Amino acid sequence: MIGAAFQHQLRMTRRSPAVLLIIGLFVGASLYALAVGQRSHGEWVAAVQSAKQEEAKAVAEVRGWFERGQKGPEDQDWIDITQPAWQDVRAGTRLVRHPAPLAGIAAGAVDEAPVAIKLDRWANPSNAEGVRIENPEFSRAASLDLVFVFVLFIPILVGILGLGIGSWEREHAVDRAVAVQAGRAGFWFVARTVVVTGIAATVVVAVCGACVGGARPDLESTAGLVGLAVLYTVFWGGVSLATGATASRLQDGAFSYGLVWALLCVVLPAAMSEWALAQVSAEYAVDRSMSVRTQQYAIFKLEPDELRARLRGTFPAAAGLPAFQADDLPRPIRDPIFAGLTFALVEESHEAQMAREAETARAIAWTVWASPAIALAQGFEGLAGVGQEVAVAFRGHVIRSTRQRITWLLEETGSQRELGVADFEALLRESSMPFVPDAVRIGTPLRSLGMWALAAWALGMVLIWRSDL
């Protein structure tokens, strides 16, 4: 039965230029999306390389001063690289996150976290303007990517290939002849749907192969990419079977299939997106930033005793150093305290932000089950290494690194000793903590797509066998 259905489908495909055109358009759109993704991936890599080049340039400049016995550039005699505050600023340390091999498949879903940020005592991963300056490619993020093409066009590919299954046979009374030969026409409809789904899955896997060949991801990511795409294709094969099971006319089957496509790929994802945005607190960005800024300004008005008291609450180990016990704190001693206390406000704001984002993530976690389109998009974003989880993790990495830098600054300032090249090199080594994101987790999207595919095929089989065949 499958062999006969395959031969029948090949004949119909060869006789239908529209079907060949749709296959060609799908492949062409996918390859274009892959090209856009590769360009976006290249821009990400270029941003990281630019940041590391700036760091190398700053480090080479400082090393040159030490080699020549200088404390800074000759035309800027106020710079003293033997002081910790200047080593902090002039180290030029960049914290970066490298793109995942499959970052290009979700080029239109670039998250809000930076890909490179300068680490010093004023580092703030929530400072949007700083992120844009350091990462200019964010301003022109791609809108067309493989996620978009697969979500919207795989259903169209399956629908065109399977157009008329069931309805065409009934409309032309072919189902009766098939029932006489096969005993039941339902077997023929199922066989045709399996063949159509297989052909569409082959085309999709070929596109995935082109993506893997260009990105060279690991085996786990490759399997995840192919698994998500194939399950999504199988689901729409089940929808094709279900919508054609009882349709008596070609128009009825096509209308039912198009209605399901519009609901699951357009209406539900749009509704879920609006609902998810509504879960984010209105004061998430502007009010929080203004509150932190107001509190930072207030710190500069504190008296020495108040500064010491606040410092003991945030950096207790550094607060006990002799340099911070003077009655009148001079500016070189006071400035690191200001940096530490203002960072504590940023850290507190970041923790509150993380708590809100975790609450939002829990509230919208169920949406992955609401639509196969959402499941596919979330799975692809996980493989691409973008999205809320990765953004939160990188901001946390920046915060931890900044705390470590400020702790060093306070301890060295409190010691009141001149720093040398060995101290500078040690600072560079301690600041070079690479960002290692958590392992990609796409189990939930895979399970969701598997559930949707199983439900669609089960419904189709039930409708086929309950119809008068």
Side-chain angles (χ1 to χ4, degrees):
M1 185 72 71
I2 294 292
F6 181 72
Q7 294 296 328
H8 175 74
Q9 189 64 39
L10 283 183
R11 286 195 300 271
M12 291 188 63
T13 300
R14 285 197 296 265
R15 293 172 183 174
S16 175
V19 173
L20 295 175
L21 178 62
I22 290 297
I23 294 175
L25 288 176
F26 174 78
V27 173
S30 299
L31 294 179
Y32 177 76
L34 290 178
V36 172
Q38 285 299 103
R39 184 182 65 190
S40 177
H41 185 279
E43 291 177 343
W44 189 332
V45 171
V48 170
Q49 291 177 341
S50 176
K52 299 307 289 185
Q53 289 171 359
E54 290 297 317
E55 176 183 358
K57 181 180 178 181
V59 169
E61 184 179 36
V62 174
R63 286 172 177 164
W65 294 339
F66 278 117
E67 290 174 359
R68 295 189 295 272
Q70 300 175 215
K71 292 187 176 182
E74 295 179 354
D75 58 343
Q76 300 177 31
D77 55 5
W78 60 86
I79 295 178
D80 186 353
I81 203 62
T82 64
Q83 298 302 310
W86 285 109
Q87 285 204 4
D88 167 55
V89 172
R90 291 289 176 162
T93 309
R94 259 65 172 187
L95 298 177
V96 302
R97 56 173 180 144
H98 297 278
L102 291 175
I105 66 175
V110 176
D111 54 56
E112 73 278 8
V115 300
I117 187 170
K118 184 179 179 182
L119 172 63
D120 56 29
R121 57 185 179 272
W122 306 115
N124 182 357
S126 299
N127 184 348
E129 292 304 319
V131 169
R132 292 193 186 98
I133 293 172
E134 192 77 29
N135 305 278
E137 81 285 356
F138 275 18
S139 62
R140 54 179 186 277
S143 58
L144 177 65
D145 53 19
L146 200 63
V147 176
F148 179 86
V149 172
F150 274 19
V151 164
L152 291 183
F153 295 137
I154 283 179
I156 296 176
L157 175 65
V158 174
I160 293 296
L161 285 171
L163 186 65
I165 292 179
S167 58
W168 184 86
E169 280 88 351
R170 292 191 188 92
E171 194 171 1
H172 294 82
V174 177
D175 57 327
R176 299 175 186 177
V178 173
V180 170
Q181 296 181 11
R184 191 168 187 142
F187 293 123
W188 172 252
F189 298 154
V190 172
R192 281 198 62 194
T193 306
V194 169
V195 168
V196 164
T197 304
I199 293 174
T202 301
V203 175
V204 170
V205 170
V207 172
C208 291
C211 177
V212 169
R216 301 186 182 280
D218 56 43
L219 182 61
E220 183 179 0
S221 297
T222 300
L225 175 69
V226 175
L228 289 166
V230 169
L231 279 175
Y232 189 68
T233 307
V234 169
F235 163 74
W236 285 105
V239 172
S240 176
L241 179 64
T243 54
T246 57
S248 59
R249 296 186 306 164
L250 180 63
Q251 295 91 328
D252 295 339
F255 177 79
S256 299
Y257 188 89
L259 187 64
V260 174
W261 173 81
L263 177 65
L264 295 182
C265 294
V266 180
V267 177
L268 269 177
M272 291 297 100
S273 177
E274 291 297 323
W275 180 85
L277 288 175
Q279 306 310 303
V280 180
S281 174
E283 58 86 39
Y284 176 79
V286 178
D287 290 351
R288 174 171 52 82
S289 299
M290 293 302 296
S291 175
V292 170
R293 182 172 298 180
T294 301
Q295 295 178 68
Q296 288 176 338
Y297 288 153
I299 289 175
F300 291 93
K301 300 178 182 179
L302 296 177
E303 297 297 327
D305 289 341
E306 295 174 308
L307 286 174
R308 278 189 285 268
R310 295 277 291 272
L311 188 63
R312 280 193 295 271
T314 53
F315 295 91
L321 295 173
F324 300 125
Q325 307 309 313
D327 293 336
D328 184 19
L329 296 174
R331 181 170 180 177
I333 303 298
R334 186 186 295 251
D335 283 352
I337 298 178
F338 287 151
L341 297 183
T342 54
F343 167 75
L345 296 175
V346 173
E347 188 176 39
E348 181 181 355
S349 174
H350 172 72
E351 291 175 356
Q353 177 181 342
M354 287 184 64
R356 282 191 294 270
E357 291 187 353
E359 182 180 354
T360 301
R362 287 191 295 270
I364 66 176
W366 67 272
T367 60
V368 73
W369 301 95
S371 166
I374 296 175
L376 181 69
Q378 289 194 15
F380 271 32
E381 288 179 7
L383 292 173
V386 297
Q388 184 185 34
E389 289 186 6
V390 180
V392 169
F394 185 70
R395 290 200 301 266
H397 175 71
V398 175
I399 290 292
R400 291 189 296 272
S401 301
T402 306
R403 169 168 275 276
Q404 179 178 332
R405 174 64 70 87
I406 291 178
T407 300
W408 170 88
L409 175 64
L410 289 168
E411 290 175 350
E412 293 298 340
T413 300
S415 70
Q416 293 186 309
R417 69 184 183 91
E418 287 192 354
L419 304 181
V421 65
D423 300 295
F424 180 70
E425 298 295 341
L427 174 64
L428 295 178
R429 288 193 298 273
E430 294 171 0
S431 302
S432 59
M433 297 184 299
F435 170 64
V436 181
D438 294 335
V440 174
R441 295 188 294 272
I442 60 170
T444 300
L446 281 171
R447 287 190 292 272
S448 174
L449 285 172
M451 181 203 73
W452 278 98
L454 183 62
W457 277 87
L459 177 62
M461 298 291 286
V462 169
L463 291 176
I464 282 287
W465 256 255
R466 289 187 64 180
S467 62
D468 185 17
L469 300 175

